[in-house]
Amino acid sequence: MLKAAYQERFIVGQPVTFKPNTQQKKMLIQAATNKGQSVGDYANRALTENLKEEDNPHK
């Protein structure tokens, strides 16, 4: 259900690629560890939240 709202932004079946630099990797790993999530899960949730904010900038 979570992906359905944003499928039209991306090609269905194609992964969203994000190639972080070294500093971004460290921050991402630390943030995921703090939340107790895998890096992939954390990144997917962060991306989804970011897209929601873009769609609704006046929360």
Side-chain angles (χ1 to χ4, degrees):
M1 179 85 179
L2 193 59
K3 288 183 180 180
Y6 298 100
Q7 279 182 345
E8 62 202 35
R9 286 185 182 242
F10 306 104
I11 299 170
V12 177
Q14 293 293 329
V16 176
T17 57
F18 169 61
K19 299 199 184 316
N21 64 30
T22 303
Q23 182 180 0
Q24 290 170 325
K25 283 180 188 175
K26 288 179 184 174
M27 290 175 61
L28 184 59
I29 291 167
Q30 185 63 46
T33 302
N34 289 345
K35 292 284 188 180
Q37 298 175 343
S38 73
V39 172
D41 285 345
Y42 181 84
N44 285 336
R45 291 176 192 274
L47 174 63
T48 302
E49 288 303 313
N50 188 24
L51 291 173
K52 286 180 183 178
E53 288 178 17
E54 284 182 17
D55 286 346
N56 301 307
H58 304 292
K59 268 188 171 176

